[in-house]
Amino acid sequence: MTTSPASKRVKTSPPLIGTHNGHFHADEALAVYMLRLLPAYTPSTLLRTRDSTLLSTCHTVVDVGGEYDPAQNRYDHHQRTFDTTFPEKQTKLSSAGLVYLHFGKAIIAQRTGLDPESESVNILWRKLYNEFIEAIDANDNGISVYPSSETAKLEKRFNDGGITLSSLVSDLNYDFSVAAPPADDSTTTTTNNHDPVNPPPTQPSTAAAAATPDPQAAEDTRFLSASTLMGTTFLRKLHGYHDSWLPARAVVLKAYESRFHHDPQGRILIFREPTPWKDHLYTFESSPSSPSPPAGKDSHKLLYVLYPESASSGAKWRIQAVPVSKDSFESRKPLPEAWRGLRDEELCAKSGVGGCVFVHASGFIGGNVSEDGVRRMAGRAVEM
């Protein structure tokens, strides 16, 4: 008899979610949070253990148990034979990727109000995997961004490991203000009876109990902190893509089609309000179906994007150099070197444009008090 997926099953009691105790990672922290976003898991109880007998009583198990069986709600990825990936991807999934693969569209529809079968949900599902979930899968499976053969001789200019979400989750594993946990496997159960997504562990009910540090309870508290960190970041990404990124697609397309109105070679893009443009711009530039330039016009890559600092009336304007790629700090054509690092009157005198506010020392961005001012800055910069 086939078991129905958890998101469709009629609830008779709060489902029990199982994961391992001990050292935790970003993937299961996010997997637990994502499950608890679904109505089928609200409320729910969390069991952290490696005891297989206890795990067998769980409705859903993630990142432990040595089994991947969606029909039985088992989502572990540590088996030697495991090779499941997201569609059209090569990165092996972690527990976060597995939960997202099976429940991601339902979560997106639940949080946005979109039709689960709509193309918008599918676009967001793929976008969130590409921009967020895949890196978590890769990190947990020990997959580097670049092949080791290409990075063997490279030396980092500085250490950037401490600013990743995975490193922040890792930090939460350690707290030497309480005694180390016992050597034998211990098990704790946490009930979702406060926060509808991630509840705190049950606190000691007596003064004597409260005075005795409980290492496992402290570990569970840190796990839930990690889960909330990962989950709230996931939600910020989701709502950002839904509320801003997805609607911006049409805005960027319209501006992209109008670029020859501002420059004969189509090198300047203008928005009437702040718009997340980078992803869409590179998509339109690389797509065979992108709008062709008008008859008699030669298409050149965009060099500068102009936009107001805010949607308020009288806002100052920005001119931003287009990066060579979406995640690059190198610009296709930085603002002129003679302008860089200058401000106000000094910049106006050097550029010959009134109303200048600043140009960054690297030349990637500048400002002017008006749209006309940034247009004139852009017009001069493209020819220098």
Side-chain angles (χ1 to χ4, degrees), residues 113-355:
L114 294 170
D115 182 342
E117 302 302 320
S118 68
E119 180 60 19
S120 291
V121 165
N122 187 56
I123 290 172
L124 290 171
W125 182 62
R126 291 180 177 277
K127 178 66 173 175
L128 268 167
Y129 186 79
N130 291 342
E131 302 295 333
F132 187 66
I133 304 291
E134 185 175 17
I136 297 167
D137 289 342
N139 179 270
D140 198 73
N141 284 302
I143 302 172
S144 299
V145 177
Y146 302 104
S148 58
S149 59
E150 297 181 8
T151 60
K153 297 182 180 180
L154 295 180
E155 292 187 11
K156 283 188 173 183
R157 294 175 178 172
F158 55 87
N159 183 14
D160 60 350
I163 63 172
T164 66
L165 282 171
S166 293
S167 74
L168 297 177
V169 168
S170 181
D171 292 343
L172 287 167
N173 276 281
Y174 306 104
D175 182 1
F176 292 100
S177 64
V178 297
D184 62 316
D185 182 87
S186 54
T187 299
T188 55
T189 304
T190 301
T191 303
N192 188 349
N193 57 358
H194 291 84
D195 187 316
V197 177
N198 250 2
T202 302
Q203 300 298 316
S205 58
T206 66
T212 303
D214 183 346
Q216 187 59 55
E219 178 188 288
D220 291 341
T221 299
R222 296 195 301 275
F223 174 82
L224 291 174
S225 294
S227 185
T228 298
L229 170 66
M230 295 301 302
T232 53
T233 304
F234 168 80
L235 289 178
R236 282 196 294 271
K237 289 286 187 182
L238 168 57
H239 289 296
Y241 291 138
H242 172 259
D243 298 343
S244 300
W245 178 84
L246 194 59
R249 182 181 178 86
V251 175
V252 177
L253 178 59
K254 183 178 180 180
Y256 188 71
E257 292 175 332
S258 303
R259 66 195 186 280
F260 291 96
H261 296 169
H262 316 302
D263 175 69
Q265 297 179 31
R267 297 169 293 181
I268 300 171
L269 199 67
I270 299 180
F271 296 109
R272 298 296 168 191
E273 60 183 348
T275 303
W277 52 269
K278 288 185 182 179
D279 276 2
H280 302 304
L281 171 60
Y282 295 112
T283 298
F284 294 142
E285 284 189 334
S286 62
S287 174
S289 60
S290 293
S292 300
K297 300 284 188 179
D298 292 326
S299 181
H300 291 254
K301 284 195 172 183
L302 280 154
L303 299 179
Y304 300 112
V305 175
L306 316 182
Y307 55 88
E309 291 183 349
S310 71
S312 61
S313 176
K316 295 177 181 178
W317 278 66
R318 293 287 178 94
I319 173 172
Q320 184 171 347
V322 177
V324 295
S325 62
K326 183 171 71 72
D327 299 315
S328 174
F329 290 110
E330 181 183 354
S331 301
R332 290 176 176 174
K333 185 179 178 65
L335 290 166
E337 186 174 0
W339 301 0
R340 299 176 200 171
L342 302 183
R343 299 187 62 87
D344 305 323
E345 292 84 359
E346 187 179 7
L347 178 57
C348 292
K350 196 70 174 178
S351 65
V353 177

Side-chain angles (χ1 to χ4, degrees), residues 2-12 15 39-41 58-60 70-74:
T2 303
T3 303
S4 300
S7 58
K8 298 181 180 179
R9 186 180 297 164
V10 176
K11 294 187 294 182
T12 57
Y41 292 93
C58 293
H59 176 283
T60 302
Q72 300 299 324
N73 299 306
R74 279 0 188 208

Side-chain angles (χ1 to χ4, degrees), residues 75-149:
Y75 302 101
D76 195 12
H77 66 108
H78 294 100
Q79 307 85 274
R80 291 186 63 179
T81 56
F82 181 87
D83 60 0
T84 303
T85 63
F86 195 81
E88 301 174 10
K89 290 288 185 175
Q90 297 181 350
T91 304
K92 283 203 305 183
L93 300 180
S94 67
S95 62
L98 283 172
V99 169
Y100 186 76
L101 177 68
H102 291 280
F103 300 105
K105 290 184 178 180
I107 292 169
I108 292 168
Q110 171 73 19
R111 301 299 299 192
T112 63
L114 294 170
D115 182 342
E117 302 302 320
S118 68
E119 180 60 19
S120 291
V121 165
N122 187 56
I123 290 172
L124 290 171
W125 182 62
R126 291 180 177 277
K127 178 66 173 175
L128 268 167
Y129 186 79
N130 291 342
E131 302 295 333
F132 187 66
I133 304 291
E134 185 175 17
I136 297 167
D137 289 342
N139 179 270
D140 198 73
N141 284 302
I143 302 172
S144 299
V145 177
Y146 302 104
S148 58
S149 59

